[in-house]
Amino acid sequence: MYEEISSRDAVKVYNDKANLYRSDEGMVDMVNSPAHYTRGSKEAINIIEDAIQDADDPVMGMLHAQALKYLLRIWLKGNSLQDAEKARWYLNRLIDKM
């Protein structure tokens, strides 16, 4: 069962498994493979998982992961300054924990 909702820029298609976005490049799965996380040769989640595996504790790993998430997609979502500020917010919390 599909429901299409039209807008000026795109058509979103919803089904029981994913939130798909139709763009000029084709269909993008916004749940499993959003474009702003899959730029380059590795997905952001793989980079983040590799980077935080040696964190001293889960909270510090989470803060590190969040900072990385915003930095890895900084140029891809349309508001780079906001993503940089969010990364700084998480990085400052991580530094305070250290």
Side-chain angles (χ1 to χ4, degrees), residues 6-96:
S6 296
S7 73
R8 208 166 31 119
D9 301 319
V11 175
K12 289 185 179 179
V13 181
Y14 297 92
N15 67 23
D16 61 342
K17 294 184 180 177
N19 180 5
L20 303 176
Y21 171 80
R22 184 174 305 157
S23 70
D24 293 337
E25 294 81 34
M27 297 301 286
V28 177
D29 182 340
M30 294 301 292
V31 172
N32 297 299
S33 296
H36 57 276
Y37 285 134
T38 57
R39 175 77 91 178
S41 61
K42 289 182 116 181
E43 285 200 34
I45 188 69
N46 296 327
I47 295 167
I48 292 167
E49 286 174 348
D50 288 347
I52 68 167
Q53 65 184 334
D54 297 318
D56 290 343
D57 68 52
V59 172
M60 289 174 54
M62 181 275 303
L63 294 169
H64 184 193
Q66 289 294 95
L68 282 171
K69 176 181 76 172
Y70 286 107
L71 290 171
L72 289 169
R73 68 181 190 188
I74 196 167
W75 310 116
L76 303 176
K77 290 190 62 197
N79 194 339
S80 300
L81 177 59
Q82 184 180 69
D83 276 355
E85 289 171 341
K86 288 178 180 179
R88 178 173 53 191
W89 189 90
Y90 283 105
L91 186 56
N92 284 338
R93 287 185 65 93
L94 176 59
I95 291 167
D96 290 345

